[in-house]
Amino acid sequence: MTFSLIGRCAKTGAFGAAVTTSSIAVGSRVPFCAPGIGAVLTQHRTDPRLGPRGIALLRSGCTAAETVAALAASTPHHRWRQLAAIDAAGRTAHFHGAAVKPFHNDAHGKDVVAIGNILANDLVPRAMADAFLAALDEPLAERLLRGLEAGEAAGGEHGEVRSAVLIVVEQEIFPLVDLRVDWADAPIPALRALWDRYRPEMREYVVRATDPEAAKPVA
């Protein structure tokens, strides 16, 4: 019972993901992003081992399609897996195993792929991708979060979601954005509140790491 999207910012080369699900702490299991490399989603009967494996494949030069195909081929339990990837060029790919429960679907667009399982309807991924594509002038994190909100507005999961994550990587080895709601009655609005609070300070944390002399004094 998960819906998610991964995307790329063509202007900055950043990658990111936004995910929500009915279980606890989705951010620890589903999205995997690497600066300059790409991003991978692994969900349904989730195997978090496939995330780092997918990033390694992308880093080796595999395209998104080659990465997803290799991940599906490498796991003996591929029928339970739902996967997606985006590579450094913004190409996208997905995989739905035969045992992934309906409604499940996917939607692709320029620099974005959205997937979901056990959805209220099969239109949810398309709503997510369209919302991402409609916000070209916004930062990647905002575009991803709008996608997640659009998925919820389109019907979301078959049941209630309880956790959500928003992650963006850009140039540094640490995330530019890594916000998580691990258990809540309304995790997407809670994630929105976190992002709205974090957004004005986002770049300052990079300055503190890379040029502390130029950092603003702590209030």
Side-chain angles (χ1 to χ4, degrees), residues 7-22:
R8 171 181 175 266
C9 176
K11 297 177 183 177
T12 66
F15 292 95
V19 188
T20 190
T21 194
S22 57

Side-chain angles (χ1 to χ4, degrees), residues 3-5 14 16 27 33 37 60 86 100 125 139 147 149-150 170 187 194 199:
F3 55 99
S4 57
L5 71 163
C33 306
I37 302 299
S60 75
I86 185 168
V100 174
E149 291 170 333
E170 196 175 77
L194 284 174
R199 180 173 178 171

Side-chain angles (χ1 to χ4, degrees), residues 61-189:
C62 290
T63 65
E66 291 167 342
T67 295
V68 168
L71 289 176
S74 70
T75 172
H77 306 294
H78 60 270
R79 63 191 296 267
W80 294 104
R81 313 304 185 193
Q82 188 178 47
L83 305 166
I86 185 168
D87 61 31
R91 295 167 295 202
T92 57
H94 75 274
F95 171 79
H96 304 305
V100 174
K101 295 181 180 180
F103 289 107
H104 64 75
N105 209 347
D106 58 89
H108 296 252
K110 180 176 173 53
D111 295 320
V112 65
V113 55
I115 59 174
N117 60 77
I118 318 182
L119 300 170
N121 61 73
D122 60 5
L123 302 178
V124 171
R126 184 74 266 161
M128 297 168 70
D130 287 348
F132 178 92
L133 294 168
L136 288 174
D137 293 332
E138 293 289 343
L140 181 58
E142 176 68 24
R143 299 175 69 191
L144 290 163
L145 184 51
R146 289 191 189 185
L148 204 65
E149 291 170 333
E152 183 176 49
E157 289 190 3
H158 183 69
E160 297 294 326
V161 294
R162 295 296 183 189
S163 66
V165 60
L166 176 64
I167 184 168
V168 171
V169 297
E170 196 175 77
Q171 296 178 348
E172 305 299 333
I173 61 171
F174 57 85
L176 179 65
V177 179
D178 189 351
L179 302 175
R180 304 178 184 216
V181 178
D182 284 337
W183 186 258
D185 290 336
I188 297 176

